[in-house]
Amino acid sequence: MTTAEDAYHELCYYTLAHGAPTFVHQHVVDAFAAQYATAETKPIKLTFALMGLYLHLERGFTGRQVQLAHMALAKRTRSWPTFALPVNRGAITAADVLAAPPGPERDRAIDTWCAAVWGAYVGSRGQVEELLARYDII
């Protein structure tokens, strides 16, 4: 892979062709969005990414359940919080995930990547939980 974005696109191809009803693709989208967020990233994008990582890793949501939570929240609010951007966003990248063989091993690597990125945002956990609780997502 030549760039992080190239690796992300190849990983998206893998997850979109995956076929599992759990929709693992959502976790890839969320991990990449949070890992590469900048000050110019739209607040909704980072909010949804952090919500998705939290719901998946701490509440056991599948990608499909995360997607439904995103849709429910999008119908109820138009004002999105801002989050502090950690300097380090996890040592694992989409390219590292692609290095794992396709199938269960790569799927576990996706979860490991998600955990690494979410761990970098641990300081935002309370803010994410408050938002999800306010809108009865959790």
Side-chain angles (χ1 to χ4, degrees):
M1 294 291 98
T2 56
T3 68
E5 197 167 86
D6 290 338
Y8 169 70
H9 289 301
E10 188 166 333
L11 192 53
C12 284
Y13 175 79
Y14 166 79
T15 58
L16 287 170
H18 196 286
T22 57
F23 195 56
V24 69
H25 176 71
Q26 184 66 56
H27 307 315
V28 169
V29 171
D30 292 339
F32 190 82
Q35 191 166 50
Y36 290 95
T38 68
E40 290 76 36
T41 298
K42 292 186 180 195
I44 188 174
K45 183 175 182 175
L46 184 54
T47 299
F48 277 31
L50 295 179
M51 282 176 34
L53 293 172
Y54 170 86
L55 290 170
H56 175 55
L57 296 165
E58 297 203 22
R59 299 292 179 131
F61 279 41
T62 65
R64 183 69 63 212
Q65 291 169 317
V66 168
Q67 186 182 49
L68 292 172
H70 286 166
M71 292 177 352
L73 189 60
K75 289 179 185 177
R76 296 163 70 185
T77 187
R78 295 288 181 247
S79 175
W80 307 104
T82 57
F83 293 91
L85 296 173
V87 174
N88 298 312
R89 315 268 178 86
I92 299 169
T93 67
D96 297 320
V97 174
L98 279 175
E105 196 170 333
R106 184 172 290 171
D107 296 349
R108 282 190 297 275
I110 290 169
D111 281 343
T112 301
W113 178 34
C114 288
V117 175
W118 177 239
Y121 281 93
V122 70
S124 297
R125 185 177 189 268
Q127 193 177 358
V128 170
E129 285 182 318
E130 189 277 324
L131 177 69
L132 292 169
R134 182 177 349 133
Y135 290 101
D136 298 318
I137 304 295
I138 59 169

